[in-house]
Amino acid sequence: MKDDCIFCKIAAGKIPSSTIYEDSHFRVFLDINPLTKGHCLIVPKEHFTNIYDLDAETAGKVFTLATLISRALKNVLKCDGLNVIQNNELLAGQSVFHFHMHLIPRYKGDGLIFMGEQKPGDMEEIGKIRDLLREELQ
Ligand code: AMP
Ligand code: ZN
């Protein structure tokens, strides 16, 4: 537990939250500034800053839990879609530096846009990036 981390405190139950699910590893609670009805956050109880330092076991458990919570959101709120968003570092919109995954139910006409218009890429550049990343991942 990191003393100056709000999500460590929420996960430990030291700060109240609208919790919808809790087990020994995770707390899932409704976002206090919801983008849509049912916007919630999956938060591991252990402190990880972001995806770069998340361990493989926790990463797997996060996604397994995401399937369970997503089905509950669909069943209860009858949403028309659902986005999974996970922000890392300030530039990408991370504002709480304790790893968390957003589950954002979507509704017809909600007007949210997460990915702008996509255009065909430069295949030469895509090829160079592919080679660099394959080398890194060997
Ligand atoms: P991010 O920008 O990806 O770091 O997301 C942080 C999220 O945490 C935002 O959507 C905030 O609205 C949400 N948030 C911050 N403080 C609280 C809190 N005390 N309870 C519930 N959600 C919170
Ligand atoms: Zn923390």
Side-chain angles (χ1 to χ4, degrees), residues 18-77:
S18 300
T19 294
I20 60 170
Y21 174 93
E22 185 183 3
D23 63 24
S24 55
H25 297 291
F26 295 97
R27 184 182 291 272
V28 184
F29 51 91
L30 294 171
D31 197 295
I32 207 165
N33 307 298
L35 284 167
T36 63
K37 194 171 58 168
H39 178 178
C40 61
L41 304 171
I42 298 179
V43 177
K45 292 188 170 178
E46 188 176 338
H47 182 89
F48 302 96
T49 303
N50 50 35
I51 198 167
Y52 310 126
D53 73 339
L54 191 66
D55 70 85
E57 195 187 339
T58 306
K61 285 183 175 149
V62 168
F63 230 97
T64 301
L65 184 52
T67 65
L68 181 83
I69 305 294
S70 296
R71 283 191 284 266
L73 291 168
K74 178 78 180 163
N75 289 343
V76 172
L77 299 172

Side-chain angles (χ1 to χ4, degrees), residues 6-7 10 15-18 29-35 39 41 85-89 92-98 100-102:
I6 184 166
F7 279 9
I10 291 176
I15 291 179
S17 65
S18 300
F29 51 91
L30 294 171
D31 197 295
I32 207 165
N33 307 298
L35 284 167
H39 178 178
L41 304 171
I85 303 278
Q86 200 277 306
N87 300 324
N88 300 284
E89 300 194 75
Q94 186 174 10
S95 63
V96 175
F97 294 89
H98 175 130
H100 53 281
M101 178 182 276
H102 296 254

